[in-house]
Amino acid sequence: MKTNEVLENIKARRSVRAYTGQQVLEEDLQAILEAATYAPSGMHLETWHFTAIQNMDKLTELNERIKGAFAKSDDSRLQERGHSKTYCCYYHAPTLVIVSNEPGMDCACAIENMFLAAQSLGIGSCWINQLGTTCDDPEVREFITALGVPANHKVYGCVALGYPDSKIPMKEKKVKVNT
């Protein structure tokens, strides 16, 4: 089978849900964010916005506000998460990038570029979707706007970033091929 560095990076990437406490270096974070800006965007408008959070107090507050929104949900699974003392939507990653855009726009390619750039730098990542479903809750919206997310933006996803905890083994990828 044909291969190269890009294809090997794609094959090696996994969602990481356990991180060390080591913070992502500023230089690496900037490289990951730059990779996101090279993604295609609808009509080449590039109206996306990337809000990187590395402050643990702010990450904890964000998680608490998301849990508060979950606690108000009609969905019993979300209510359970909202009342959990241990639930952390970003898996305690030391860095979280909120990816937002104007309603109706897309950010999936930018997020994937961040995942692949992180993998190439030895940094683990995971798609975090909880903020996308809670960003319009008033307490959540107030907080993310204060963090720098434009008030007119919808959150399309978040990228948890950090160094994988080596004590947690990575799962083997099972490739399903449809021909």
Side-chain angles (χ1 to χ4, degrees):
M1 178 177 262
K2 194 169 193 166
T3 192
N4 61 38
E5 189 175 339
V6 173
L7 293 172
E8 291 304 315
N9 191 53
I10 291 168
K11 291 175 188 176
R13 196 243 163 228
R14 300 284 183 277
S15 291
V16 174
R17 293 180 177 86
Y19 300 91
T20 69
Q22 181 183 354
Q23 187 55 267
V24 174
L25 297 174
E26 181 64 24
E27 179 181 32
D28 290 340
L29 177 59
Q30 290 308 314
I32 292 166
L33 294 172
E34 180 182 25
T37 68
Y38 279 88
S41 66
M43 297 179 284
H44 198 60
L45 293 175
E46 298 180 0
T47 53
W48 48 46
H49 190 268
F50 310 111
T51 307
I53 307 166
Q54 294 187 302
N55 178 295
M56 293 314 292
D57 291 336
K58 289 180 181 179
L59 287 170
T60 299
E61 176 70 16
L62 178 61
N63 189 61
E64 289 304 312
R65 292 196 185 218
I66 290 169
K67 285 172 49 176
F70 282 171
K72 296 182 256 180
S73 173
D74 294 332
D75 183 325
S76 61
R77 290 179 316 129
L78 293 180
Q79 286 178 9
E80 185 179 318
R81 289 177 182 171
H83 296 294
S84 170
K85 296 206 183 303
T86 59
Y87 178 75
C88 182
C89 69
Y90 61 91
Y91 303 105
H92 302 284
T95 299
L96 184 72
V97 180
I98 301 171
V99 182
S100 65
N101 207 336
E102 295 173 357
M105 300 304 282
D106 191 275
C107 299
C109 291
I111 291 171
E112 182 67 11
N113 276 14
M114 282 191 255
F115 292 153
L116 295 174
Q119 174 65 34
S120 76
L121 296 169
I123 297 168
S125 63
C126 189
W127 188 306
I128 306 298
N129 206 37
Q130 291 83 339
L131 191 53
T133 61
T134 61
C135 68
D136 291 326
D137 176 86
E139 288 82 21
V140 173
R141 175 53 65 176
E142 175 188 42
F143 190 67
I144 65 173
T145 300
L147 291 173
V149 175
N152 66 325
H153 274 207
K154 177 180 177 356
V155 174
Y156 284 92
C158 297
V159 177
L161 295 169
Y163 297 94
D165 184 341
S166 61
K167 294 182 285 250
I168 308 296
M170 297 301 285
K171 291 183 180 176
E172 281 295 315
K173 178 74 176 168
K174 295 178 183 146
V175 179
K176 297 175 186 171
V177 179
N178 295 324
T179 55

